[in-house]
Structure formats: C-alpha cells, structure tokens
Amino acid sequence: RSAQQSTCYQQLTNINKQRFDSLMRSALDYILHSAWRAQQREVLTTMTRVLSLLEAVATDGSYLALLLAYPQALVRVIELLATSAWAANYLTLHPQLLDELLQEAQPEPHDYWQKFYADISGRIDAAAGHSDVQMDILRHAQRAQTFKVLLRDLQGQLSVEHIADYLSALADNLLTLSINTLWLQMEQRHCDSPHFAIIAYGRLGGKELGYASDLDLVFL
C-alpha cells in the first residue's frame, strides 16, 4: 500500500498502475509460496528490491508489459534480486539490462572478442559525428557484458579466475575502441592510426578485475 501512495506510483497512467500492481502480486506470491522460499531468509529485503526495480522502470510501460508477458523472466529477476545486493543495485540503476534476462545463454565461440569488437566498432562507425551516441554505445556494451558474466557467475558457471579474465578482456576491448574512436575526432592528429599507448596498472594490469574495480591508466 505504501508503494501505491508514492509519488512515482501516483504519476503512472492507469494501465501502468494495473501492470505494476499485477507484477507486485505475482512477485509476492512467488516469494511466499514457491519452493525457492525455503532458501530465502529475507523476504522483506527481496520484496523491497523488487519494488525498487519496478519503480525504476514504471514510467516506461514497455518493461512492465515485458515482465507480464514473460512470467519466467519475472522469476529470474526475483531470484537475481534475492541472491545478490550488488546485482540488485546494478540492475535497478541500469534497467535496460532486463533485456538480457530474456536471452538464452549461448556458448562463447573461440573468436568471441573479435566478434564483439567488430560489432561494437560497426555501431560506433554508424554513429559517426555523434560522439554522445558513440559513448552511449560503449557504456551499454560495458554494462551488458558485465551483466552477462554476472548472471553466469551467480549460476556457479564461472571461477574467480574466469571472471577476472572476462572483465579484463572487456576492458581491453573497450579501451581500444575508445582510443580508436576518439583519435578520429582529433583535428590535428599527425597520422590516421593512433600511435598511442594505454598502460594499465593495478587490477587491470594484472588481469584481476572485479565487478567494482576501477581502471588505473597511464596514457603515452
């Protein structure tokens, strides 16, 4: 009831209020009556995280409709929110990552990072002249890939070493994409390809990145 009295809820359209209410009922029913509840001590904590996420996406009715249309996706969301406070906060801050929960995990090909680089590079090239769009492409790529490895991590599919390798490879690719993109925007560049080095210290230098690691870099 307190959620329905919030400013966020009151500003929703009638259809989105109905969607919001339906999702909250479904979430509460799942938490209280499923076998999964036996493994969950903090029911109130989980419901609070569900509420925070739904409030974050409520003004965009498409996400509410998406979760209603795919009940199994709602279940995956609830289990994710219950499992990890960090994951709950990350998804709430970046709710567009909900799309990743609808995609079945696929084995990574041996040339995964080459294909990743080519895909993101092509998107950046298509947005030439719009640096804000290009930066958004890079940001979303970083968040989506981090979320993918997080999902596999929470399912027990990855070791600490594999997570560090994955996140380090992601950082390497995004740094290369960034410098190649920004170089072309320099009006007085002395050559077409950047003769420029990014030296990684700290956890990236040792390929030991974690989810919350920052990057210690020197540019030469």
Side-chain angles (χ1 to χ4, degrees):
R1 179 167 298 178
S2 61
Q4 294 175 333
Q5 294 172 347
S6 69
T7 302
C8 174
Y9 183 88
Q10 293 299 322
Q11 292 176 344
L12 298 178
T13 63
N14 288 334
I15 184 62
N16 283 341
K17 286 180 180 178
Q18 294 172 14
R19 290 167 174 165
F20 188 99
D21 293 344
S22 179
L23 287 170
M24 287 297 293
R25 287 193 297 269
S26 295
L28 183 60
D29 181 68
Y30 178 75
I31 292 171
L32 292 178
H33 298 103
S34 71
W36 165 84
R37 179 183 177 239
Q39 303 175 7
Q40 176 59 29
R41 298 178 181 177
E42 300 294 340
V43 172
L44 180 59
T45 297
T46 302
M47 282 303 300
T48 300
R49 292 173 183 172
V50 171
L51 174 60
S52 296
L53 176 62
L54 292 183
E55 286 182 338
V57 303
T59 55
D60 185 347
S62 62
Y63 284 114
L64 298 179
L66 181 73
L67 291 173
L68 282 174
Y70 296 93
Q72 194 58 35
L74 178 62
V75 169
R76 293 186 68 186
V77 168
I78 295 170
E79 293 181 345
L80 176 67
L81 298 181
T83 302
S84 168
W86 194 92
N89 184 60
Y90 197 75
L91 183 58
T92 301
L93 287 174
H94 311 296
Q96 66 273 21
L97 296 175
L98 282 170
D99 296 332
E100 302 297 331
L101 287 171
L102 296 179
Q103 300 179 17
E104 293 295 329
Q106 300 293 332
E108 293 180 0
H110 69 280
D111 58 347
Y112 179 82
W113 289 114
Q114 291 92 325
K115 291 182 177 179
F116 169 82
Y117 187 97
D119 175 50
I120 303 303
S121 181
R123 297 184 192 181
I124 290 174
D125 289 345
H130 302 280
S131 58
D132 55 336
V133 175
Q134 292 176 325
M135 292 301 101
D136 282 341
I137 292 170
L138 289 168
R139 291 187 192 99
H140 181 72
Q142 186 272 334
R143 293 165 184 164
Q145 294 298 317
T146 299
F147 192 63
K148 284 180 180 179
V149 76
L150 175 63
L151 292 176
R152 294 177 61 192
D153 179 16
L154 294 176
Q155 293 168 1
Q157 298 178 5
L158 299 173
S159 66
V160 174
E161 292 76 13
H162 282 126
I163 295 168
D165 288 344
Y166 189 101
L167 294 176
S168 298
L170 174 60
D172 285 342
N173 277 272
L174 291 177
L175 287 172
T176 303
L177 285 161
S178 297
I179 195 62
N180 286 337
T181 300
L182 293 172
W183 186 262
L184 296 178
Q185 298 175 16
M186 297 182 64
E187 295 181 358
Q188 297 182 357
R189 61 183 184 274
H190 59 280
C191 56
D192 290 334
S193 299
H195 292 186
F196 200 90
I198 303 176
I199 311 301
Y201 286 81
R203 290 192 176 276
L204 178 56
K207 295 192 179 300
E208 299 173 341
L209 281 186
Y211 295 114
S213 297
D214 57 5
L215 302 182
D216 299 311
L217 307 173
V218 173
F219 299 90
L220 299 176

